[in-house]
Amino acid sequence: MSLPAVEAGGDYYDFVKLDNNKIGIAIGDVSGKGVGAAIYMTLTKGILQAHAEENASPKVVLGKVNKLLYKTMEKNSFVSMFYTILDINNHTISYARART
C-alpha cells in the first residue's frame, strides 16, 4: 500500500554513476517540512551531483556541499546526509556523513 504525503518534504536519495565502475549513493534529509525543505533538498541534490562527478572521496564531496549550502541556507535549517561510493571492481565502499 502507498499513502501519499500531505505536503512536500526534504527527503532525498540518489544514485550517481561515476567513472571506473563506481556508483555514488546519497541519502539525506532537510530539517523541516513543506516547500522550503523541498527547495533546499533540490539545491543539495544539484550541488552533490556537480561535485560527485569529480570522482572525489565522499569526505571531499560532502565538504564542498556543506561549504556551499552554509552560504545559502537559513541558519535555523540543516541537512543531514550520508554519501558512499561503491567500487564494483575492487569490492570496496568508502563513505562519509555530515550535517550542515
Side-chain angles (χ1 to χ4, degrees):
M1 176 165 60
S2 176
L3 300 174
V6 176
E7 61 183 326
D11 297 337
Y12 168 62
Y13 69 92
D14 201 3
F15 299 93
V16 182
K17 186 174 180 183
L18 304 170
D19 296 336
N20 302 320
N21 287 321
K22 293 181 181 179
I23 300 170
I25 303 167
I27 302 170
D29 188 29
V30 174
S31 62
K33 298 265 184 230
V35 175
I39 289 171
Y40 281 142
M41 190 46 73
T42 301
L43 177 64
T44 303
K45 176 182 178 177
I47 294 170
L48 179 103
Q49 288 182 346
H51 291 289
E53 295 299 323
E54 297 174 10
N55 208 11
S57 74
K59 178 182 175 181
V60 169
V61 171
L62 288 184
K64 290 180 179 184
V65 171
N66 182 58
K67 185 177 180 179
L68 291 168
L69 284 177
Y70 184 79
K71 294 177 183 179
T72 306
M73 291 181 74
E74 295 178 16
K75 301 309 174 214
N76 61 346
S77 296
F78 64 89
V79 176
S80 297
M81 182 165 276
F82 174 83
Y83 180 62
T84 185
I85 295 176
L86 172 61
D87 186 329
I88 296 168
N89 290 339
N90 295 320
H91 306 286
T92 60
I93 63 168
S94 55
Y95 65 91
R97 61 182 176 85
R99 179 177 159 197
T100 57

mmCIF file with all atom_site columns, all heavy atoms in Angstrom, residues 67-81:
data_model
loop_
_atom_site.group_PDB
_atom_site.id
_atom_site.type_symbol
_atom_site.label_atom_id
_atom_site.label_alt_id
_atom_site.label_comp_id
_atom_site.label_asym_id
_atom_site.label_entity_id
_atom_site.label_seq_id
_atom_site.pdbx_PDB_ins_code
_atom_site.Cartn_x
_atom_site.Cartn_y
_atom_site.Cartn_z
_atom_site.occupancy
_atom_site.B_iso_or_equiv
_atom_site.pdbx_formal_charge
_atom_site.auth_seq_id
_atom_site.auth_comp_id
_atom_site.auth_asym_id
_atom_site.auth_atom_id
_atom_site.pdbx_PDB_model_num
ATOM 1   N N   . LYS A 1 67 ? 30.037 23.492 2.428  1.00 0.00 ? 67 LYS A N   1
ATOM 2   C CA  . LYS A 1 67 ? 30.536 24.860 2.263  1.00 0.00 ? 67 LYS A CA  1
ATOM 3   C C   . LYS A 1 67 ? 29.558 25.715 1.443  1.00 0.00 ? 67 LYS A C   1
ATOM 4   O O   . LYS A 1 67 ? 29.259 26.847 1.800  1.00 0.00 ? 67 LYS A O   1
ATOM 5   C CB  . LYS A 1 67 ? 31.903 24.829 1.588  1.00 0.00 ? 67 LYS A CB  1
ATOM 6   C CG  . LYS A 1 67 ? 32.571 26.161 1.466  1.00 0.00 ? 67 LYS A CG  1
ATOM 7   C CD  . LYS A 1 67 ? 33.956 26.012 0.855  1.00 0.00 ? 67 LYS A CD  1
ATOM 8   C CE  . LYS A 1 67 ? 34.637 27.365 0.725  1.00 0.00 ? 67 LYS A CE  1
ATOM 9   N NZ  . LYS A 1 67 ? 35.976 27.247 0.165  1.00 0.00 ? 67 LYS A NZ  1
ATOM 10  N N   . LEU A 1 68 ? 29.038 25.154 0.352  1.00 0.00 ? 68 LEU A N   1
ATOM 11  C CA  . LEU A 1 68 ? 28.112 25.909 -0.498 1.00 0.00 ? 68 LEU A CA  1
ATOM 12  C C   . LEU A 1 68 ? 26.741 26.078 0.145  1.00 0.00 ? 68 LEU A C   1
ATOM 13  O O   . LEU A 1 68 ? 26.119 27.138 0.033  1.00 0.00 ? 68 LEU A O   1
ATOM 14  C CB  . LEU A 1 68 ? 27.998 25.246 -1.863 1.00 0.00 ? 68 LEU A CB  1
ATOM 15  C CG  . LEU A 1 68 ? 29.271 25.338 -2.714 1.00 0.00 ? 68 LEU A CG  1
ATOM 16  C CD1 . LEU A 1 68 ? 29.177 24.418 -3.918 1.00 0.00 ? 68 LEU A CD1 1
ATOM 17  C CD2 . LEU A 1 68 ? 29.527 26.765 -3.142 1.00 0.00 ? 68 LEU A CD2 1
ATOM 18  N N   . LEU A 1 69 ? 26.255 25.043 0.831  1.00 0.00 ? 69 LEU A N   1
ATOM 19  C CA  . LEU A 1 69 ? 24.950 25.160 1.489  1.00 0.00 ? 69 LEU A CA  1
ATOM 20  C C   . LEU A 1 69 ? 24.993 26.147 2.649  1.00 0.00 ? 69 LEU A C   1
ATOM 21  O O   . LEU A 1 69 ? 24.029 26.873 2.889  1.00 0.00 ? 69 LEU A O   1
ATOM 22  C CB  . LEU A 1 69 ? 24.481 23.800 1.994  1.00 0.00 ? 69 LEU A CB  1
ATOM 23  C CG  . LEU A 1 69 ? 23.945 22.838 0.949  1.00 0.00 ? 69 LEU A CG  1
ATOM 24  C CD1 . LEU A 1 69 ? 23.598 21.505 1.594  1.00 0.00 ? 69 LEU A CD1 1
ATOM 25  C CD2 . LEU A 1 69 ? 22.730 23.418 0.247  1.00 0.00 ? 69 LEU A CD2 1
ATOM 26  N N   . TYR A 1 70 ? 26.104 26.179 3.367  1.00 0.00 ? 70 TYR A N   1
ATOM 27  C CA  . TYR A 1 70 ? 26.223 27.075 4.509  1.00 0.00 ? 70 TYR A CA  1
ATOM 28  C C   . TYR A 1 70 ? 26.044 28.534 4.080  1.00 0.00 ? 70 TYR A C   1
ATOM 29  O O   . TYR A 1 70 ? 25.465 29.333 4.798  1.00 0.00 ? 70 TYR A O   1
ATOM 30  C CB  . TYR A 1 70 ? 27.578 26.883 5.194  1.00 0.00 ? 70 TYR A CB  1
ATOM 31  C CG  . TYR A 1 70 ? 27.715 27.712 6.442  1.00 0.00 ? 70 TYR A CG  1
ATOM 32  C CD1 . TYR A 1 70 ? 27.122 27.295 7.637  1.00 0.00 ? 70 TYR A CD1 1
ATOM 33  C CD2 . TYR A 1 70 ? 28.416 28.904 6.434  1.00 0.00 ? 70 TYR A CD2 1
ATOM 34  C CE1 . TYR A 1 70 ? 27.229 28.057 8.787  1.00 0.00 ? 70 TYR A CE1 1
ATOM 35  C CE2 . TYR A 1 70 ? 28.527 29.679 7.580  1.00 0.00 ? 70 TYR A CE2 1
ATOM 36  C CZ  . TYR A 1 70 ? 27.938 29.251 8.753  1.00 0.00 ? 70 TYR A CZ  1
ATOM 37  O OH  . TYR A 1 70 ? 28.042 30.010 9.888  1.00 0.00 ? 70 TYR A OH  1
ATOM 38  N N   . LYS A 1 71 ? 26.522 28.857 2.892  1.00 0.00 ? 71 LYS A N   1
ATOM 39  C CA  . LYS A 1 71 ? 26.391 30.218 2.372  1.00 0.00 ? 71 LYS A CA  1
ATOM 40  C C   . LYS A 1 71 ? 24.949 30.536 1.960  1.00 0.00 ? 71 LYS A C   1
ATOM 41  O O   . LYS A 1 71 ? 24.570 31.695 1.892  1.00 0.00 ? 71 LYS A O   1
ATOM 42  C CB  . LYS A 1 71 ? 27.296 30.418 1.152  1.00 0.00 ? 71 LYS A CB  1
ATOM 43  C CG  . LYS A 1 71 ? 28.762 30.352 1.455  1.00 0.00 ? 71 LYS A CG  1
ATOM 44  C CD  . LYS A 1 71 ? 29.562 30.494 0.160  1.00 0.00 ? 71 LYS A CD  1
ATOM 45  C CE  . LYS A 1 71 ? 31.041 30.352 0.401  1.00 0.00 ? 71 LYS A CE  1
ATOM 46  N NZ  . LYS A 1 71 ? 31.814 30.473 -0.845 1.00 0.00 ? 71 LYS A NZ  1
ATOM 47  N N   . THR A 1 72 ? 24.158 29.510 1.667  1.00 0.00 ? 72 THR A N   1
ATOM 48  C CA  . THR A 1 72 ? 22.843 29.689 1.072  1.00 0.00 ? 72 THR A CA  1
ATOM 49  C C   . THR A 1 72 ? 21.691 29.526 2.061  1.00 0.00 ? 72 THR A C   1
ATOM 50  O O   . THR A 1 72 ? 20.713 30.269 2.001  1.00 0.00 ? 72 THR A O   1
ATOM 51  C CB  . THR A 1 72 ? 22.651 28.669 -0.072 1.00 0.00 ? 72 THR A CB  1
ATOM 52  O OG1 . THR A 1 72 ? 23.738 28.796 -0.985 1.00 0.00 ? 72 THR A OG1 1
ATOM 53  C CG2 . THR A 1 72 ? 21.353 28.891 -0.807 1.00 0.00 ? 72 THR A CG2 1
ATOM 54  N N   . MET A 1 73 ? 21.799 28.557 2.944  1.00 0.00 ? 73 MET A N   1
ATOM 55  C CA  . MET A 1 73 ? 20.675 28.198 3.810  1.00 0.00 ? 73 MET A CA  1
ATOM 56  C C   . MET A 1 73 ? 20.502 29.153 4.984  1.00 0.00 ? 73 MET A C   1
ATOM 57  O O   . MET A 1 73 ? 21.468 29.736 5.470  1.00 0.00 ? 73 MET A O   1
ATOM 58  C CB  . MET A 1 73 ? 20.854 26.777 4.355  1.00 0.00 ? 73 MET A CB  1
ATOM 59  C CG  . MET A 1 73 ? 20.727 25.706 3.305  1.00 0.00 ? 73 MET A CG  1
ATOM 60  S SD  . MET A 1 73 ? 20.908 24.039 3.968  1.00 0.00 ? 73 MET A SD  1
ATOM 61  C CE  . MET A 1 73 ? 19.341 23.858 4.788  1.00 0.00 ? 73 MET A CE  1
ATOM 62  N N   . GLU A 1 74 ? 19.254 29.249 5.434  1.00 0.00 ? 74 GLU A N   1
ATOM 63  C CA  . GLU A 1 74 ? 18.978 29.976 6.672  1.00 0.00 ? 74 GLU A CA  1
ATOM 64  C C   . GLU A 1 74 ? 19.644 29.237 7.821  1.00 0.00 ? 74 GLU A C   1
ATOM 65  O O   . GLU A 1 74 ? 19.764 28.007 7.798  1.00 0.00 ? 74 GLU A O   1
ATOM 66  C CB  . GLU A 1 74 ? 17.476 30.053 6.905  1.00 0.00 ? 74 GLU A CB  1
ATOM 67  C CG  . GLU A 1 74 ? 16.734 30.859 5.859  1.00 0.00 ? 74 GLU A CG  1
ATOM 68  C CD  . GLU A 1 74 ? 15.241 30.872 6.103  1.00 0.00 ? 74 GLU A CD  1
ATOM 69  O OE1 . GLU A 1 74 ? 14.803 30.515 7.219  1.00 0.00 ? 74 GLU A OE1 1
ATOM 70  O OE2 . GLU A 1 74 ? 14.508 31.220 5.178  1.00 0.00 ? 74 GLU A OE2 1
ATOM 71  N N   . LYS A 1 75 ? 20.075 29.951 8.826  1.00 0.00 ? 75 LYS A N   1
ATOM 72  C CA  . LYS A 1 75 ? 20.848 29.354 9.921  1.00 0.00 ? 75 LYS A CA  1
ATOM 73  C C   . LYS A 1 75 ? 20.020 28.445 10.833 1.00 0.00 ? 75 LYS A C   1
ATOM 74  O O   . LYS A 1 75 ? 20.567 27.685 11.608 1.00 0.00 ? 75 LYS A O   1
ATOM 75  C CB  . LYS A 1 75 ? 21.540 30.443 10.741 1.00 0.00 ? 75 LYS A CB  1
ATOM 76  C CG  . LYS A 1 75 ? 22.484 31.300 9.920  1.00 0.00 ? 75 LYS A CG  1
ATOM 77  C CD  . LYS A 1 75 ? 23.467 30.466 9.113  1.00 0.00 ? 75 LYS A CD  1
ATOM 78  C CE  . LYS A 1 75 ? 24.297 31.321 8.200  1.00 0.00 ? 75 LYS A CE  1
ATOM 79  N NZ  . LYS A 1 75 ? 24.653 30.698 6.952  1.00 0.00 ? 75 LYS A NZ  1
ATOM 80  N N   . ASN A 1 76 ? 18.692 28.481 10.725 1.00 0.00 ? 76 ASN A N   1
ATOM 81  C CA  . ASN A 1 76 ? 17.866 27.587 11.538 1.00 0.00 ? 76 ASN A CA  1
ATOM 82  C C   . ASN A 1 76 ? 17.504 26.301 10.798 1.00 0.00 ? 76 ASN A C   1
ATOM 83  O O   . ASN A 1 76 ? 16.738 25.497 11.290 1.00 0.00 ? 76 ASN A O   1
ATOM 84  C CB  . ASN A 1 76 ? 16.600 28.303 12.011 1.00 0.00 ? 76 ASN A CB  1
ATOM 85  C CG  . ASN A 1 76 ? 15.718 28.758 10.852 1.00 0.00 ? 76 ASN A CG  1
ATOM 86  O OD1 . ASN A 1 76 ? 16.152 28.784 9.707  1.00 0.00 ? 76 ASN A OD1 1
ATOM 87  N ND2 . ASN A 1 76 ? 14.494 29.120 11.160 1.00 0.00 ? 76 ASN A ND2 1
ATOM 88  N N   . SER A 1 77 ? 18.071 26.083 9.603  1.00 0.00 ? 77 SER A N   1
ATOM 89  C CA  . SER A 1 77 ? 17.840 24.866 8.827  1.00 0.00 ? 77 SER A CA  1
ATOM 90  C C   . SER A 1 77 ? 19.139 24.080 8.726  1.00 0.00 ? 77 SER A C   1
ATOM 91  O O   . SER A 1 77 ? 20.223 24.636 8.854  1.00 0.00 ? 77 SER A O   1
ATOM 92  C CB  . SER A 1 77 ? 17.358 25.211 7.414  1.00 0.00 ? 77 SER A CB  1
ATOM 93  O OG  . SER A 1 77 ? 16.114 25.849 7.455  1.00 0.00 ? 77 SER A OG  1
ATOM 94  N N   . PHE A 1 78 ? 19.018 22.785 8.473  1.00 0.00 ? 78 PHE A N   1
ATOM 95  C CA  . PHE A 1 78 ? 20.204 21.961 8.262  1.00 0.00 ? 78 PHE A CA  1
ATOM 96  C C   . PHE A 1 78 ? 19.864 20.763 7.396  1.00 0.00 ? 78 PHE A C   1
ATOM 97  O O   . PHE A 1 78 ? 18.698 20.414 7.217  1.00 0.00 ? 78 PHE A O   1
ATOM 98  C CB  . PHE A 1 78 ? 20.820 21.505 9.591  1.00 0.00 ? 78 PHE A CB  1
ATOM 99  C CG  . PHE A 1 78 ? 19.927 20.602 10.408 1.00 0.00 ? 78 PHE A CG  1
ATOM 100 C CD1 . PHE A 1 78 ? 19.959 19.227 10.241 1.00 0.00 ? 78 PHE A CD1 1
ATOM 101 C CD2 . PHE A 1 78 ? 19.057 21.143 11.340 1.00 0.00 ? 78 PHE A CD2 1
ATOM 102 C CE1 . PHE A 1 78 ? 19.140 18.395 10.986 1.00 0.00 ? 78 PHE A CE1 1
ATOM 103 C CE2 . PHE A 1 78 ? 18.234 20.326 12.096 1.00 0.00 ? 78 PHE A CE2 1
ATOM 104 C CZ  . PHE A 1 78 ? 18.273 18.952 11.920 1.00 0.00 ? 78 PHE A CZ  1
ATOM 105 N N   . VAL A 1 79 ? 20.909 20.137 6.851  1.00 0.00 ? 79 VAL A N   1
ATOM 106 C CA  . VAL A 1 79 ? 20.770 18.933 6.052  1.00 0.00 ? 79 VAL A CA  1
ATOM 107 C C   . VAL A 1 79 ? 21.627 17.841 6.686  1.00 0.00 ? 79 VAL A C   1
ATOM 108 O O   . VAL A 1 79 ? 22.799 18.071 6.978  1.00 0.00 ? 79 VAL A O   1
ATOM 109 C CB  . VAL A 1 79 ? 21.250 19.151 4.593  1.00 0.00 ? 79 VAL A CB  1
ATOM 110 C CG1 . VAL A 1 79 ? 21.182 17.856 3.796  1.00 0.00 ? 79 VAL A CG1 1
ATOM 111 C CG2 . VAL A 1 79 ? 20.451 20.240 3.916  1.00 0.00 ? 79 VAL A CG2 1
ATOM 112 N N   . SER A 1 80 ? 21.050 16.681 6.914  1.00 0.00 ? 80 SER A N   1
ATOM 113 C CA  . SER A 1 80 ? 21.806 15.504 7.331  1.00 0.00 ? 80 SER A CA  1
ATOM 114 C C   . SER A 1 80 ? 21.975 14.634 6.094  1.00 0.00 ? 80 SER A C   1
ATOM 115 O O   . SER A 1 80 ? 21.008 14.420 5.357  1.00 0.00 ? 80 SER A O   1
ATOM 116 C CB  . SER A 1 80 ? 21.063 14.708 8.404  1.00 0.00 ? 80 SER A CB  1
ATOM 117 O OG  . SER A 1 80 ? 20.905 15.491 9.560  1.00 0.00 ? 80 SER A OG  1
ATOM 118 N N   . MET A 1 81 ? 23.189 14.145 5.858  1.00 0.00 ? 81 MET A N   1
ATOM 119 C CA  . MET A 1 81 ? 23.417 13.381 4.638  1.00 0.00 ? 81 MET A CA  1
ATOM 120 C C   . MET A 1 81 ? 24.469 12.295 4.840  1.00 0.00 ? 81 MET A C   1
ATOM 121 O O   . MET A 1 81 ? 25.424 12.470 5.592  1.00 0.00 ? 81 MET A O   1
ATOM 122 C CB  . MET A 1 81 ? 23.847 14.304 3.501  1.00 0.00 ? 81 MET A CB  1
ATOM 123 C CG  . MET A 1 81 ? 24.048 13.571 2.181  1.00 0.00 ? 81 MET A CG  1
ATOM 124 S SD  . MET A 1 81 ? 24.115 14.691 0.787  1.00 0.00 ? 81 MET A SD  1
ATOM 125 C CE  . MET A 1 81 ? 22.370 14.877 0.491  1.00 0.00 ? 81 MET A CE  1
#
